[in-house]
């Protein structure tokens, strides 16, 4: 049974709200797993061929062939576990109004955060961790 126009409109508004609030989650939910099967087949083939080269290299005392086999096996495993890189959106796109239109955030565009804590990377990182910890403590232990 098809959706009514009202239900379609409400569904579209919910999709826009999700995309606006959490773009990473929306991208994850929209992505399909078509490329995963091919990725795993290629990775598995690389691991098997690498293992064969490693065994043949060890059996024939050709160290360089075993090394190539090991590198091929390692590359196959890394290829299987690393997903394709996707372009990430920064922050919320806007706010979904009652009529379903997306307006820009009320505070204007998000400004990039300035690093805190002098010149080192760890100082900024630690400051952000402390800030997050304080926010969690102030929110009542969520």
């Amino acid at each position: 049974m098809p959706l009514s126009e009202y239900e379609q409109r409400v569904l579209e508004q919910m999709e826009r709200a999700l995309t606006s609030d959490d773009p990473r989650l929306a991208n994850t939910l929209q992505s399909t797993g078509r490329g995963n099967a091919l990725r795993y087949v290629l990775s598995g083939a690389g691991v098997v061929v690498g293992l064969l080269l490693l065994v043949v290299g060890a059996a024939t005392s050709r160290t360089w062939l075993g090394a190539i086999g090991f590198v091929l096996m390692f590359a196959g495993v890394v290829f299987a576990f690393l997903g394709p890189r996707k372009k990430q959106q920064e922050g919320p796109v806007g706010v979904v109004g009652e009529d379903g239109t997306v307006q820009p955030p009320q505070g204007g565009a998000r400004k990039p955060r300035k690093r805190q804590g002098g010149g080192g990377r760890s100082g900024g990182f630690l400051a952000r961790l402390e800030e997050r910890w304080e926010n969690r403590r102030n929110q009542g232990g969520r």
Side-chain angles (χ1 to χ4, degrees), residues 12-44:
E12 288 173 1
Q13 287 177 355
M14 289 170 53
E15 288 175 357
R16 283 190 225 124
L18 174 64
T19 304
S20 173
D21 292 342
D22 195 351
R24 292 172 100 187
L25 177 64
N27 287 338
T28 302
L29 294 176
Q30 289 176 353
S31 66
T32 59
R34 292 185 201 147
N36 288 342
L38 179 62
R39 176 178 284 289
Y40 293 137
V41 167
L42 288 174
S43 298

Side-chain angles (χ1 to χ4, degrees), residues 68-134:
I68 290 173
F70 177 78
V71 169
L72 190 59
M73 282 189 337
F74 183 73
V77 170
V78 168
F79 185 68
F81 284 106
L82 290 181
R85 293 185 179 190
K86 295 180 183 178
K87 186 177 179 182
Q88 295 180 354
Q89 275 185 304
E90 283 291 324
V93 176
V95 178
V96 179
E98 291 182 15
D99 59 349
T101 60
V102 179
Q103 291 110 17
Q106 301 204 337
R110 285 178 53 181
K111 297 178 183 174
R113 286 190 223 170
K114 293 183 180 177
R115 290 189 176 229
Q116 299 173 357
R121 285 181 94 172
S122 61
F125 175 72
L126 290 176
R128 285 193 309 269
L129 282 179
E130 290 175 7
E131 180 182 336
R132 287 179 186 169
W133 177 255
E134 289 299 322

Side-chain angles (χ1 to χ4, degrees), residues 1-13:
M1 183 161 121
L3 296 174
S4 68
E5 286 184 33
Y6 173 75
E7 292 170 331
Q8 288 178 351
R9 224 176 316 124
V10 169
L11 184 61
E12 288 173 1
Q13 287 177 355

